[in-house]
Amino acid sequence: MKESSREKLRRRKPRRKLEREKNSKQKKKKKTPELALSSSLALSPAFDAAPSPLPPLHCPNTHLLFLSSLFINPPPLPPQGGDGYCGFATALHLSARGYAVAIVDNLARRSYDAQLGMETLTPIASAHERVKTWNGISGKDIELMIGDVCDFEFLSAAFQSFKPDAVVHFGEQRSAPYSMIDRARAVYTQHNNVIGTVNVLFAIKEFAPEAHLVKLGTMGEYGTPNIDIEEGFITITHNGRTDTLPYPKQGGSFYHLSKVHDSHNIHFATKAWKLAATDLNQGVVYGVATEETTAHPKLVNRYDYDGIFGTALNRFVVQAAVGHPLTVYGKGGQTRGYLDIRDTVRCVQLAIDSPAAPGEFRVFNQFTEQFSVNQLAEIVGSEGRKLGLDVRVQSVPNPRVELEEHYYNARHSKLQELGLEPHLLGDNIVDSLLKFAIQYKDRVNLELIKPAVDWRKAGAAPRVESAAVASRK
């Protein structure tokens, strides 16, 4: 009996398209140069070692369609590059390990910054320049397709052109505060994220039914229930009957709720169309450097520290570097799962290398450790003082509607069972991040540090210029 292409991929021997084999034979084999760190990127001890030899290729010649940023109904601004914090680092990681990668992106991410008067801590090159730089120094060939995944005609053409074996879907508006600025951005977030994902599902069904979908979700879908959080499903007994059901969802913003809708839609598509899908419910990511993003100054990753796109630990690090009090929301007992960006890229690879079966909807909780906001502030404060920084902690009114003291215990064993060896948050990691932030502290806009988006005040009237800056009253 002839073996299916998905069966080949499941035993880590991916299918090869006949036309690609024909084309590849016509090309001369390129010699891959070694990746070397630029001397201008002094990232401190945890990051400044030369890249280690790449591990054995698990899926050589696997073709990955990497859906990066989406943006529908854009403001009247010229596109300025859409390579995201986790997305571009993951694309480079996969490319370096032998996967054929195509990035689908409409260059939206930095237009959010342009709307709100924000800027990443690090000076980053355009998406085109970064891809060109990577291709030049690595000898690989990432393909960049410019277009909107909410445009199904474009997406259909991308699928038919590239013929993916796996689809990595990071292409969504990722900020809870952004979705709570005003009605327009709440609607945009829901429309962009949900419709984009539905388009991806139909594209896989029509043009790549054997492709494995790896979708980036969020631990925020679960909320903070007073019971243990399972990985996607929970077995319950009610009135004498037992069933295994999707774990209850309690999204805490219009962004989180868009992710909940995505999960339901993907689960339905796996049942109706026998698609294979893995939902990675990711925790809060920290860090900035991966082996690939430190290979050249033009590959440096973005680092958000503002109150809209900045994550808790990354914000605290910048606040400590510039002498601003660490802004703890409310009581500071809010507890979440966290992971290093180096583990983010590895988790995606693990999901690709061991794909779901046809008709299977898998859920992996993608984080490595749990911390409260107070614990993070204590860790940053301790390491900052070792560097001679005057680190203080300030409790500020919580702009979010959430429990500030609660039970939190989430399972996260499935990725480690697949081989994840986590980078845990140690003193050297925080020390490295602090030194990195100090290196770029002259680029910090102090007006962006305090939280400016209040869940309770989101209204129908649009907020643009002032949305990222806290009221001075």
Side-chain angles (χ1 to χ4, degrees):
M1 184 175 180
K2 187 177 180 181
E3 185 178 38
S4 72
S5 61
R6 184 178 282 130
E7 287 171 337
K8 291 181 182 179
L9 184 57
R10 287 181 64 81
R11 65 183 182 86
R12 297 183 179 181
K13 291 184 180 180
R15 64 173 165 167
R16 302 184 182 187
K17 304 296 181 184
L18 293 177
E19 59 268 31
R20 284 203 186 96
E21 290 184 344
K22 181 178 179 180
N23 291 337
S24 64
K25 291 177 182 178
Q26 296 174 352
K27 296 181 180 179
K28 294 182 179 179
K29 186 175 182 180
K30 296 182 180 179
K31 182 179 180 181
T32 303
E34 294 183 2
L35 303 185
L37 287 178
S38 167
S39 59
S40 65
L41 266 182
L43 298 183
S44 73
F47 299 129
D48 63 7
S52 58
L54 299 181
L57 300 183
H58 292 289
C59 288
N61 297 321
T62 296
H63 289 78
L64 303 178
L65 192 62
F66 197 98
L67 308 180
S68 185
S69 286
L70 316 181
F71 198 42
I72 192 169
N73 298 325
L77 295 169
Q80 301 179 52
D83 38 339
Y85 172 52
C86 295
F88 193 73
T90 304
L92 295 190
H93 174 87
L94 296 170
S95 174
R97 283 150 184 83
Y99 301 81
V101 177
I103 297 176
V104 174
D105 201 318
N106 74 341
L107 309 183
R109 174 59 189 89
R110 271 180 268 185
S111 67
Y112 301 153
D113 288 351
Q115 292 174 46
L116 303 173
M118 304 186 304
E119 191 173 32
T120 169
L121 178 69
T122 48
I124 56 176
S126 70
H128 294 82
E129 188 63 26
R130 298 173 93 183
V131 168
K132 179 181 177 182
T133 299
W134 171 254
N135 290 347
I137 69 171
S138 70
K140 307 295 182 181
D141 187 20
I142 289 181
E143 188 175 348
L144 180 61
M145 302 182 184
I146 304 302
D148 195 330
V149 179
C150 287
D151 176 356
F152 190 72
E153 183 177 355
F154 160 77
L155 185 62
S156 300
F159 264 78
Q160 294 177 78
S161 170
F162 192 71
K163 300 180 174 64
D165 297 298
V167 178
V168 181
H169 185 16
F170 276 29
E172 300 193 328
Q173 192 291 104
R174 67 171 180 84
S175 166
Y178 187 92
S179 75
M180 300 300 296
I181 289 175
D182 54 27
R183 184 207 64 83
R185 286 169 181 79
V187 171
Y188 160 70
T189 300
Q190 293 263 323
H191 190 284
N192 182 77
N193 294 0
V194 177
I195 300 305
T197 296
V198 170
N199 276 353
V200 170
L201 293 171
F202 270 94
I204 294 174
K205 175 183 180 292
E206 293 297 319
F207 308 114
E210 294 186 345
H212 175 215
L213 172 64
V214 178
K215 167 69 164 57
L216 190 66
T218 172
M219 288 296 296
E221 292 185 33
Y222 298 119
T224 54
N226 198 38
I227 60 173
D228 290 351
I229 297 173
E230 306 297 331
E231 296 200 64
F233 296 87
I234 185 170
T235 300
I236 62 174
T237 298
H238 179 65
N239 291 341
R241 302 188 68 84
T242 300
D243 201 354
T244 298
L245 303 169
Y247 196 94
K249 305 296 179 69
Q250 303 180 76
S253 71
F254 288 118
Y255 155 74
H256 290 108
L257 290 167
S258 75
K259 292 288 193 176
V260 172
H261 302 327
D262 285 342
S263 295
H264 290 157
N265 288 336
I266 296 170
H267 191 191
F268 171 75
T270 61
K271 291 188 293 184
W273 302 331
K274 302 302 179 184
L275 303 186
T278 300
D279 202 1
L280 299 176
N281 282 342
Q282 182 167 257
V284 183
V285 182
Y286 61 82
V288 65
T290 66
E291 184 176 302
E292 293 73 35
T293 63
T294 56
H296 191 281
K298 290 183 179 180
L299 300 178
V300 65
N301 206 355
R302 69 179 301 119
Y303 189 112
D304 298 307
Y305 63 90
D306 56 85
I308 294 181
F309 284 95
T311 58
L313 182 59
N314 284 356
R315 289 191 299 107
F316 284 172
V317 164
V318 168
Q319 290 168 9
V322 299
H324 191 284
L326 309 190
T327 52
V328 171
Y329 294 174
K331 296 178 181 179
Q334 302 92 318
T335 301
R336 303 289 187 269
Y338 289 81
L339 76 161
D340 191 302
I341 192 169
R342 292 172 293 177
D343 292 333
T344 289
V345 302
R346 177 65 176 147
C347 287
V348 176
Q349 182 188 353
L350 288 170
I352 294 168
D353 288 351
S354 299
E360 182 183 10
F361 175 63
R362 301 186 306 185
V363 180
F364 297 160
N365 290 345
Q366 184 171 302
F367 71 96
T368 58
E369 298 177 276
Q370 294 181 178
F371 298 101
S372 71
V373 175
N374 284 332
Q375 288 174 321
L376 293 179
E378 182 179 350
I379 293 169
V380 173
S382 175
E383 289 306 303
R385 294 181 192 101
K386 292 178 184 178
L387 295 177
L389 301 175
D390 179 19
V391 183
R392 293 165 291 133
V393 177
Q394 179 184 13
S395 176
V396 300
N398 192 347
R400 303 188 180 209
V401 177
E402 61 184 359
L403 295 177
E404 296 176 4
E405 294 177 320
H406 56 86
Y407 177 81
Y408 195 84
N409 184 38
R411 311 289 187 187
H412 57 108
S413 62
K414 292 182 180 179
L415 284 163
Q416 293 193 33
E417 290 170 0
L418 289 180
L420 176 65
E421 298 178 0
H423 297 83
L424 301 181
L425 183 62
D427 295 347
N428 63 324
I429 298 296
V430 179
D431 176 87
S432 298
L433 288 173
L434 284 166
K435 290 178 179 177
F436 183 87
I438 291 170
Q439 179 183 352
Y440 291 103
K441 70 177 184 178
D442 290 342
R443 289 175 55 86
V444 174
N445 181 349
L446 296 178
E447 288 189 323
L448 301 177
I449 286 181
K450 291 185 178 181
V453 179
D454 191 319
W455 267 226
R456 303 162 189 83
K457 297 179 180 179
R463 293 181 63 203
V464 183
E465 296 85 357
S466 63
V469 178
S471 172
R472 295 180 176 83
K473 294 181 181 179

PDB file of all heavy atoms in Angstrom, residues 129 179 186 193 317 364 430:
ATOM      1  N   GLU A 129      14.848  43.776   3.979  1.00  0.00           N
ATOM      2  CA  GLU A 129      16.277  43.826   4.248  1.00  0.00           C
ATOM      3  C   GLU A 129      16.696  42.677   5.166  1.00  0.00           C
ATOM      4  O   GLU A 129      17.766  42.094   5.003  1.00  0.00           O
ATOM      5  CB  GLU A 129      16.645  45.164   4.888  1.00  0.00           C
ATOM      6  CG  GLU A 129      18.147  45.404   5.026  1.00  0.00           C
ATOM      7  CD  GLU A 129      18.869  45.479   3.693  1.00  0.00           C
ATOM      8  OE1 GLU A 129      18.222  45.842   2.679  1.00  0.00           O
ATOM      9  OE2 GLU A 129      20.075  45.168   3.650  1.00  0.00           O
ATOM     10  N   SER A 179      -6.389  45.666  21.611  1.00  0.00           N
ATOM     11  CA  SER A 179      -7.788  45.318  21.317  1.00  0.00           C
ATOM     12  C   SER A 179      -8.773  46.045  22.220  1.00  0.00           C
ATOM     13  O   SER A 179      -9.981  46.026  21.947  1.00  0.00           O
ATOM     14  CB  SER A 179      -7.989  43.804  21.468  1.00  0.00           C
ATOM     15  OG  SER A 179      -8.031  43.411  22.829  1.00  0.00           O
ATOM     16  N   ALA A 186     -11.043  46.944  18.624  1.00  0.00           N
ATOM     17  CA  ALA A 186     -11.668  45.689  19.070  1.00  0.00           C
ATOM     18  C   ALA A 186     -12.244  44.937  17.870  1.00  0.00           C
ATOM     19  O   ALA A 186     -12.032  43.726  17.715  1.00  0.00           O
ATOM     20  CB  ALA A 186     -12.760  45.982  20.098  1.00  0.00           C
ATOM     21  N   ASN A 193      -8.184  38.530  13.152  1.00  0.00           N
ATOM     22  CA  ASN A 193      -7.716  37.251  13.672  1.00  0.00           C
ATOM     23  C   ASN A 193      -8.641  36.100  13.297  1.00  0.00           C
ATOM     24  O   ASN A 193      -8.188  35.047  12.833  1.00  0.00           O
ATOM     25  CB  ASN A 193      -7.571  37.331  15.196  1.00  0.00           C
ATOM     26  CG  ASN A 193      -6.473  38.300  15.630  1.00  0.00           C
ATOM     27  OD1 ASN A 193      -5.816  38.924  14.807  1.00  0.00           O
ATOM     28  ND2 ASN A 193      -6.289  38.424  16.930  1.00  0.00           N
ATOM     29  N   VAL A 317      12.454  45.099  32.763  1.00  0.00           N
ATOM     30  CA  VAL A 317      13.881  45.211  32.468  1.00  0.00           C
ATOM     31  C   VAL A 317      14.216  46.614  31.957  1.00  0.00           C
ATOM     32  O   VAL A 317      15.180  47.237  32.400  1.00  0.00           O
ATOM     33  CB  VAL A 317      14.302  44.128  31.455  1.00  0.00           C
ATOM     34  CG1 VAL A 317      15.664  44.452  30.843  1.00  0.00           C
ATOM     35  CG2 VAL A 317      14.339  42.761  32.120  1.00  0.00           C
ATOM     36  N   PHE A 364      -1.124  22.070  22.979  1.00  0.00           N
ATOM     37  CA  PHE A 364       0.037  22.063  23.858  1.00  0.00           C
ATOM     38  C   PHE A 364       0.080  23.388  24.611  1.00  0.00           C
ATOM     39  O   PHE A 364      -0.009  24.459  23.992  1.00  0.00           O
ATOM     40  CB  PHE A 364       1.335  21.918  23.064  1.00  0.00           C
ATOM     41  CG  PHE A 364       1.477  20.625  22.299  1.00  0.00           C
ATOM     42  CD1 PHE A 364       2.376  20.534  21.244  1.00  0.00           C
ATOM     43  CD2 PHE A 364       0.731  19.503  22.621  1.00  0.00           C
ATOM     44  CE1 PHE A 364       2.531  19.357  20.538  1.00  0.00           C
ATOM     45  CE2 PHE A 364       0.872  18.317  21.917  1.00  0.00           C
ATOM     46  CZ  PHE A 364       1.779  18.245  20.873  1.00  0.00           C
ATOM     47  N   VAL A 430      18.449  37.337  33.259  1.00  0.00           N
ATOM     48  CA  VAL A 430      17.995  38.684  33.612  1.00  0.00           C
ATOM     49  C   VAL A 430      19.148  39.674  33.531  1.00  0.00           C
ATOM     50  O   VAL A 430      18.988  40.804  33.047  1.00  0.00           O
ATOM     51  CB  VAL A 430      17.367  38.687  35.024  1.00  0.00           C
ATOM     52  CG1 VAL A 430      16.924  40.093  35.408  1.00  0.00           C
ATOM     53  CG2 VAL A 430      16.178  37.735  35.073  1.00  0.00           C
TER      54      VAL A 430
END
